[in-house]
Amino acid sequence: MARTPPARTYRGTARNLARLAACLRAGDLVAVPTETVYGLAAHALDARACARIFRAKGRPASDPLIVHLHSVRQLGLVCLPNAAAHRLARAFWPGPLTLVLPKTPAVPAIVTSGRDSVAVRVPRHPLFRRLLRLAGVPLAAPSANPFGYISPTTAEHVRQGLGGKIRHILDGGPASIGLESTIVDLRDPSRPAVLRPGAITAEQIARVLGRRVAAPQPAAAQPGAQVAPGLLARHYSPRTPLVLHKKVPAALRGRAPANEAFLLQRQPRGAASAAHVFWLDATGDLPGVARRLFAMLRRLDAQGFVRIHAELAPDRGLGRAINDRLRRAAAR
Ligand code: TXA
Ligand code: MG
């Protein structure tokens, strides 16, 4: 089999975007920045192009892809939207919300793993939006990481994970949200359900729809069970074992050996902190915690600690999505 030359990272100049759009139309893969995490994009209506995504990631064919659109006007091309979908689209697109809706025949079976529904989203990242407009076609894109590992929030993370498997990476800077989109099942608009928590909360969705929205079960509570296809309990995982704590007691930090890391939500007060103590946000501000979580897990994973003790976020709002990713990362 031919070896792929090492990936090239592109800045978002007009010339580069035109070139990458042409690559996408021709069936090549391009890693793209989004406001949530980096994605690995291919022409969503080209089954052969989408097959390359599964090969590059080592992703099982049973795990369907999200289709990204430039505009809500393209919805009808890939799915059969209902009134609830239009409401959520008006409220949250472009943005970190993915809707699961009945698919049209235009979407190849490989994209949806043979299901009759498709996941769609209109992203907000300005460079990705320009690329979608220039490509002129819907782009299927899962997170741009080898299957099962932590999602990438920078172009450099993509290069580290997939640099030998893909040729094009568009650098749009660090992801501003840092967690994957909220996924809402709207196949039956009278029973909306959050399949994956994200920056847009179930409460926000319920408010717009004016009805109750089913929330997902916490990942750890259902070993082996799948919320959405591909949402395995174990996911987003560092190689270093992760131990979760509601709060990390200062005494535990004090007596732990230096080869165990502590990942706190906020900077500890008082006592000077040790070289094995880390925090996600100076004040524990949840958007800051979300934005830095995946990069920090990668950094700690590279440092040879035998264990990472991580503190959970408060279980509300964005904290639910943060804790969902921490629980999946800790599942063995
Ligand atoms: O923020 C995001 O959503 C990022 C960026 C790149 O857009 N994408 C992302 O994709 O996180 P991925 O492949 O890592 O996760 C997509 C998940 C699948 O694992 C699956 O659970 C769900 O979306 N999904 C896709 N199609 C579905 C369908 N027809 N029904 C239910 N769930 C579906
Ligand atoms: Mg993923």
Side-chain angles (χ1 to χ4, degrees):
M1 213 171 81
R3 287 267 292 281
T4 310
R8 177 177 158 194
T9 300
Y10 297 78
R11 287 182 305 123
T13 62
R15 206 170 139 198
N16 286 343
L17 290 173
R19 173 164 175 200
L20 295 174
C23 288
L24 285 163
R25 275 197 307 272
D28 272 356
L29 301 182
V30 178
V32 296
T34 92
E35 69 277 23
T36 57
V37 299
Y38 274 69
L40 182 57
H43 187 327
L45 308 182
D46 177 343
R48 283 182 55 191
C50 292
R52 295 196 177 106
I53 293 178
F54 289 86
R55 272 200 301 271
K57 280 186 57 109
R59 180 180 178 107
S62 56
D63 192 353
L65 307 177
I66 294 177
V67 173
H68 298 73
L69 307 175
H70 176 258
S71 153
V72 69
R73 285 193 297 276
Q74 293 171 301
L75 262 185
L77 188 60
V78 295
C79 67
L80 308 174
N82 46 42
H86 284 296
R87 278 189 158 184
L88 291 180
R90 259 198 309 278
F92 300 114
W93 282 352
L97 177 69
T98 296
L99 303 178
V100 174
L101 290 160
K103 80 187 256 313
T104 64
V107 181
I110 188 169
V111 171
T112 63
S113 302
R115 310 186 144 236
D116 50 18
S117 61
V118 63
V120 290
R121 149 166 132 84
V122 175
R124 188 165 74 201
H125 193 291
L127 278 189
F128 189 20
R129 294 189 56 69
R130 282 170 68 193
L131 190 61
L132 275 162
R133 186 169 50 73
L134 289 169
V137 294
L139 296 177
S143 51
N145 50 293
F147 181 71
Y149 197 62
I150 304 162
S151 293
T153 53
T154 67
E156 178 56 20
H157 294 162
V158 178
R159 202 193 55 74
Q160 285 163 9
L162 296 176
K165 304 256 165 78
I166 63 175
R167 288 168 53 202
H168 313 290
I169 302 172
L170 175 59
D171 190 347
S176 60
I177 293 174
L179 299 179
E180 303 83 354
S181 61
T182 306
I183 303 180
V184 180
D185 184 356
L186 274 187
R187 285 172 306 164
D188 176 353
S190 69
R191 294 173 51 200
V194 173
L195 302 181
R196 177 175 72 183
I200 293 172
T201 63
E203 292 78 9
Q204 285 176 285
I205 291 160
R207 225 172 293 137
V208 170
L209 294 182
R211 61 167 76 237
R212 278 178 61 93
V213 175
Q217 297 303 304
Q222 35 164 18
Q226 290 193 25
V227 188
L231 275 191
L232 308 170
R234 176 176 160 69
H235 213 125
Y236 316 105
S237 297
R239 282 171 284 268
T240 316
L242 196 67
V243 183
L244 302 182
H245 301 263
K246 259 226 134 65
K247 265 257 144 343
V248 173
L252 176 62
R253 261 171 24 222
R255 59 169 193 270
N259 63 2
E260 299 196 10
F262 289 87
L263 180 53
L264 312 179
Q265 292 282 312
R266 58 188 297 171
Q267 184 170 7
R269 263 183 298 231
S273 118
H276 62 149
V277 178
F278 304 82
W279 53 87
L280 288 162
D281 187 88
T283 63
D285 180 46
L286 291 177
V289 169
R291 190 161 56 239
R292 295 184 198 98
L293 176 64
F294 287 161
M296 184 63 95
L297 287 176
R298 282 171 179 264
R299 182 175 145 203
L300 297 185
D301 207 18
Q303 289 192 25
F305 290 112
V306 298
R307 193 168 296 115
I308 302 168
H309 297 273
E311 194 170 73
L312 290 162
D315 231 343
R316 58 178 148 76
L318 184 55
R320 294 229 180 92
I322 293 165
N323 290 345
D324 171 77
R325 303 315 189 271
L326 279 169
R327 290 193 181 103
R328 289 178 202 284
R332 287 282 131 178

